[in-house]
Amino acid sequence: CTLVFQILLTPIQVVGQSMQPTINISVKSNTDEDHCDIVYYNKDKTYQTGDVVIVSNLEKQYINDDDVDYLIKRVIACPGDSITFFLTDVKFEALPFGLYGNVYYYDIIVKDSNGNTKNVDDSFLSEPMCFNRYEFEAYKDYIAFSQIFSKLFDDNLEIEDRKTTIIVEDNKYFVMGDNRNHSEDSRFFGSVKYSDISG
C-alpha cells in the first residue's frame, strides 16, 4: 500500500471551489471542508492541453498562503503555445455589495507553435468568463494579470481591439481552474514550471 500510494497513485485532498464542477461540486467556500474530494495522481513525463494536474506550491511561488501547498488546475496551453485573450462584451450589471457597474466578458483562443488552433474543452463551464472593475483593481498588482488584462479593460479602445496574446515559455504550462471566475491560476501568477507539476 505504501508503495502504491507514494509512487504510483498519491492521494491529495482538494479544498476550495476553483475546480468546480469537475471536483468539489458541493463546496461553497474554502472553509467548507465537509465536502472535500480526494484525488489520486501519478507522475507523468508529458502533459497536454486538457490534463488536470497537481502543481506544487511548497515554496509559495504561486500563491502566498501557508495553507496552500498544492494547486489542482487544468492545462490550457503547453510550451510554445500562444493564448489570445479577447474582450467579447461589456455589460452594465449588478455587482457585489449592491453596486452596479461594467462587467467585462472575455474568451480565449489557444494556438500551437505552428499557428494551428487547439481545441480547449470548455463545455463544462457554467458561466462565461468575466471580471468587473473592482476585481481588476484588486488583482492588477499581479504581473501576469496586469499583462493580460490591462488592454481588455481599456475603455478608450474599441471592443475588437481589446486583446492580448502571450506565448508560453519553454518548460512551462499555462493552467486554469475549471471554475474560471473563482480561480487563482496562471492568469494571476503566470505559467507554472514543468518541475513544479507533481503529476
Side-chain angles (χ1 to χ4, degrees):
C1 284
T2 300
L3 287 175
V4 167
F5 287 127
Q6 291 301 318
I7 298 175
L8 297 179
L9 291 172
T10 306
I12 190 169
Q13 186 181 45
V14 181
V15 180
Q17 54 185 326
S18 72
M19 281 299 289
Q20 291 178 334
T22 309
I23 300 171
N24 284 350
I25 295 174
S26 301
V27 172
K28 303 303 181 188
S29 70
N30 289 338
T31 58
D32 183 3
E33 298 189 17
D34 294 332
H35 303 285
C36 290
D37 287 343
I38 302 293
V39 299
Y40 296 84
Y41 68 92
N42 65 300
K43 187 68 179 177
D44 204 345
K45 293 181 179 178
T46 61
Y47 304 99
Q48 59 187 359
T49 297
D51 287 349
V52 175
V53 295
I54 303 293
V55 179
S56 171
N57 188 53
L58 293 173
E59 298 178 5
K60 311 308 170 200
Q61 66 274 43
Y62 299 118
I63 294 179
N64 189 19
D65 186 333
D66 290 337
D67 294 328
V68 181
D69 290 336
Y70 294 93
L71 310 171
I72 181 166
K73 305 293 177 187
R74 187 179 298 275
V75 174
I76 301 299
C78 301
D81 289 348
S82 67
I83 313 172
T84 299
F85 294 79
F86 60 96
L87 199 68
T88 58
D89 202 357
V90 180
K91 297 180 180 178
F92 191 77
E93 298 178 355
L95 301 176
F97 311 113
L99 301 173
Y100 281 82
N102 284 342
V103 177
Y104 299 79
Y105 291 85
Y106 69 96
D107 207 342
I108 60 172
I109 293 177
V110 179
K111 295 184 177 182
D112 63 22
S113 57
N114 295 319
N116 300 313
T117 301
K118 298 180 76 171
N119 180 34
V120 178
D121 182 20
D122 60 2
S123 60
F124 49 79
L125 297 185
S126 58
E127 57 188 2
M129 293 183 290
C130 64
F131 276 100
N132 60 54
R133 179 64 62 183
Y134 298 99
E135 291 170 315
F136 177 71
E137 292 298 325
Y139 293 118
K140 68 180 182 181
D141 290 337
Y142 284 84
I143 295 174
F145 181 87
S146 181
Q147 176 189 4
I148 292 170
F149 290 104
S150 290
K151 200 169 181 181
L152 275 67
F153 282 84
D154 188 346
D155 290 327
N156 295 316
L157 296 173
E158 298 294 332
I159 286 182
E160 58 270 19
D161 295 327
R162 296 201 225 176
K163 53 188 174 183
T164 303
T165 299
I166 62 171
I167 307 294
V168 182
E169 308 97 309
D170 290 342
N171 295 314
K172 290 190 176 183
Y173 292 80
F174 195 96
V175 298
M176 293 168 65
D178 285 357
N179 191 1
R180 300 281 168 80
N181 292 334
H182 305 279
S183 172
E184 286 191 36
D185 48 43
S186 289
R187 293 170 293 177
F188 302 92
F189 49 69
S191 299
V192 300
K193 298 177 182 176
Y194 172 81
S195 58
D196 287 336
I197 299 180
S198 299

